[in-house]
Amino acid sequence: MSATGEGGRYLIRGGTVLTMDPKLGSLVGDVLVEGGKITEVGVDLRPPEGAVLIDATNCAVLPGLIDTHRHLWSAAVRQTGVGWDYGAYHMTVQRRWGEQFTADDVYWSQLLGALSALNAGVTTICDESHIQNSPAHTDAAVKALQESGVRARFGYGFPSVNVASWMFGPTHTIPEDIRRVRTELLPDDDALVTLQAMLRGPEMTGLDVATKDLEIARDLGLRSTMHIGFGMAPGIEQLSDAGLLDSDLLLIHGGKSTDEELRMGVAAGASFSISPGTEAFMPGLGIPATSRVLSVGGEPSMSADTEVASSADLFSTLRAAMATDITVRNALPEYYGALPEVTPDQLLLSATLWGAHACGLGDKVGSLVPGKAADIIMVRLDDLTMFPGSDAVRSLIAAATAGSVDTVMVDGNLVKQDGKVLGTGFERLKPRILELMDRLQPRPGSGPVDTPFSV
Ligand SMILES: [Zn+2]
């Protein structure tokens, strides 16, 4: 375990500091952390008494990465769905395996997902949790988040039992148990793990239920997320027409939403989460909307979505964003050629400051400025993968992996140091995950359990 600085004091010294703040910019220098907060960023800072010194020479020092949409509960069945379309994913993961997850399974799988995220330098996650099979499942998911040390928005969703009735059609509003979770489990909006509502939105439930769900969430003082833009209905336009589109909404995917809908969303102050990794891997979700959101003045944020078809490593998501942008620009030059190019600097913003804005945490995290929480990562620029790392931002986008992440701090607490996640969580969860695999018998690439449908 690491030495803990007196009063939570750490001086991170001599790194290439990418503050992601428009005024502070980048510098070779130091970051001072005291009591869980960043208190100073500068050159040759004097270490206060009792501070632990962390040598950041040959490292990029940047805000912890922010993933604005990840279904953490299904981490255990990671990588099984590479090559599936959305229908196959739905039939296999949501309809078959989700129903078989016990509350204990949710705890261990969720912990695996959260620790893997931290290992990859992802310090904040909007957890899209559609495994509310019972209150015990909900409690287990929240407990794993709280014990992992990650900063999270826990997005209370719906059960993975009779899932079709929840996901498609106007049968249910969001489960009543969200009220218990709000008042008893996650009442504190300043805690490391806070509550939001994972709503299904008008494209899944129709507008009446979507309206009622939003009323419930807003009545509880919660921000909401919605998967949207699958091509089934103009969901953003419907929200706008109904006067429901607002800045408390995080709209996920949007690949088949029209340009006008994206414009409506940005104009209303709503945010967007793009998942270029899964959108490219899982046909049916449309073309990643990164450059289209930029073109209407928005700040796209990034998400890995699900490890069933993607990686816990958000750097690979950023690479997918760049790759898909260049591909569609070349393949469809008449349309995409006229849109703004997605730059490496914008991509790093999308995974830091813009991600913080997108999940309503812009005043807390997303950039290295005094007063913000000390969510900080150090990425080695001198290992075989990154050396000589002559342009830190481009090196991060092009080549960084979870293995490049040397140090991770969340809220002033070290959770990874010298390339190793601290604590015994991974060792403890291994036998439980293997036991779950024995029960589920997932076979990577074996395909869906039923006739998939297309979205
Ligand atoms: Zn998703």
Side-chain angles (χ1 to χ4, degrees):
M1 290 290 286
S2 68
T4 305
E6 192 181 310
R9 288 196 185 107
Y10 297 91
L11 184 61
I12 300 168
R13 293 213 288 199
T16 299
V17 182
L18 311 170
T19 70
M20 308 315 292
D21 177 71
K23 284 189 193 140
L24 288 178
S26 302
L27 62 149
V28 175
D30 313 331
V31 180
L32 180 62
V33 172
E34 295 177 280
K37 294 232 185 303
I38 297 165
T39 52
E40 217 175 334
V41 177
V43 179
D44 293 332
L45 300 182
R46 259 171 53 109
E49 203 171 317
V52 169
L53 303 180
I54 298 177
D55 182 6
T57 311
N58 299 322
C59 287
V61 179
L62 63 152
L65 304 182
I66 296 174
D67 185 318
T68 53
H69 148 230
R70 190 178 294 201
H71 306 277
L72 278 177
W73 71 267
S74 55
V77 288
R78 52 173 46 160
Q79 295 123 30
T80 51
V82 175
W84 290 351
D85 63 10
Y86 175 72
Y89 165 81
H90 171 78
M91 298 304 290
T92 310
V93 178
Q94 294 182 303
R95 289 208 193 183
R96 184 170 68 169
W97 294 335
E99 201 165 286
Q100 296 177 54
F101 266 60
T102 65
D104 254 10
D105 297 335
V106 171
Y107 172 82
W108 294 109
S109 185
Q110 183 100 346
L111 189 61
L112 174 65
L115 293 180
S116 303
L118 288 168
N119 184 47
V122 177
T123 54
T124 298
I125 296 178
C126 288
D127 176 23
E128 291 284 292
S129 190
H130 48 90
I131 192 72
Q132 315 309 318
N133 299 8
S134 74
H137 285 70
T138 305
D139 294 353
V142 170
K143 185 169 173 237
L145 284 177
Q146 290 172 328
E147 290 182 2
S148 73
V150 78
R151 186 182 300 278
R153 292 272 198 210
F154 174 69
Y156 182 99
F158 48 88
S160 274
V161 176
N162 298 322
V163 72
S165 76
W166 284 93
M167 288 191 67
F168 305 107
T171 312
H172 312 279
T173 50
I174 193 165
E176 272 295 304
D177 195 44
I178 192 173
R179 297 183 188 278
R180 175 190 68 89
V181 178
R182 180 56 166 157
T183 54
E184 295 176 22
L185 207 55
L186 295 171
D188 181 1
D189 290 336
D190 287 322
L192 203 60
V193 179
T194 52
L195 182 63
Q196 67 185 10
M198 177 197 176
L199 304 185
R200 294 151 296 170
E203 294 188 23
M204 291 194 203
T205 64
L207 189 59
D208 284 351
V209 168
T211 303
K212 285 179 191 145
D213 278 356
L214 257 178
E215 281 170 4
I216 292 167
R218 286 174 175 161
D219 182 49
L220 293 171
L222 299 176
R223 297 174 59 82
S224 298
T225 63
M226 286 179 190
H227 284 56
I228 213 152
F230 300 122
M232 293 188 283
I236 299 175
E237 186 182 323
Q238 289 175 337
L239 290 169
S240 178
D241 289 348
L244 297 169
L245 200 56
D246 214 330
S247 58
D248 59 354
L249 292 180
L250 172 56
L251 304 170
I252 294 168
H253 294 307
K256 293 181 179 173
S257 301
T258 65
D259 291 351
E260 186 51 30
E261 286 187 287
L262 300 184
R263 188 172 289 112
M264 287 174 185
V266 170
S271 304
F272 285 90
S273 177
I274 317 293
S275 314
T278 46
E279 288 156 9
F281 266 48
M282 211 178 261
L285 298 173
I287 293 172
T290 322
S291 59
R292 292 203 298 131
V293 171
L294 279 171
S295 76
V296 294
E299 299 177 344
S301 67
M302 286 290 141
S303 51
D305 191 349
T306 170
E307 287 190 69
V308 171
S310 186
S311 159
D313 166 9
L314 205 56
F315 295 117
S316 65
T317 297
L318 300 180
R319 278 191 281 286
M322 179 143 263
T324 51
D325 183 63
I326 293 168
T327 302
V328 295
R329 194 171 293 282
N330 288 329
L332 303 165
E334 298 81 12
Y335 178 76
Y336 283 94
L339 298 183
E341 281 183 40
V342 181
T343 68
D345 293 292
Q346 287 170 329
L347 285 174
L348 203 54
L349 279 166
S350 73
T352 53
L353 188 59
W354 293 354
H357 292 158
C359 54
L361 291 170
D363 59 338
K364 274 203 171 76
V365 292
S367 57
L368 302 182
V369 295
K372 283 200 176 181
D375 289 15
I376 303 169
I377 63 173
M378 286 168 37
V379 182
R380 298 226 66 88
L381 297 173
D382 61 351
D383 65 3
L384 263 179
T385 304
M386 304 288 278
F387 179 80
S390 31
D391 182 316
V393 174
R394 280 163 180 75
S395 294
L396 290 171
I397 301 300
T401 69
S404 315
V405 178
D406 180 90
T407 300
V408 178
M409 180 180 275
V410 184
D411 216 32
N413 296 310
L414 283 168
V415 294
K416 183 177 185 183
Q417 199 170 24
D418 299 326
K420 293 249 176 329
V421 172
L422 305 176
T424 58
F426 184 41
E427 291 310 314
R428 287 189 298 118
L429 66 81
K430 274 182 184 171
R432 307 303 294 265
I433 296 293
L434 291 173
E435 188 270 325
L436 173 60
M437 294 303 97
D438 280 348
R439 257 185 292 132
L440 297 183
Q441 292 290 311
R443 294 182 185 83
S446 64
V449 293
D450 206 343
T451 309
F453 59 90
S454 290
V455 176

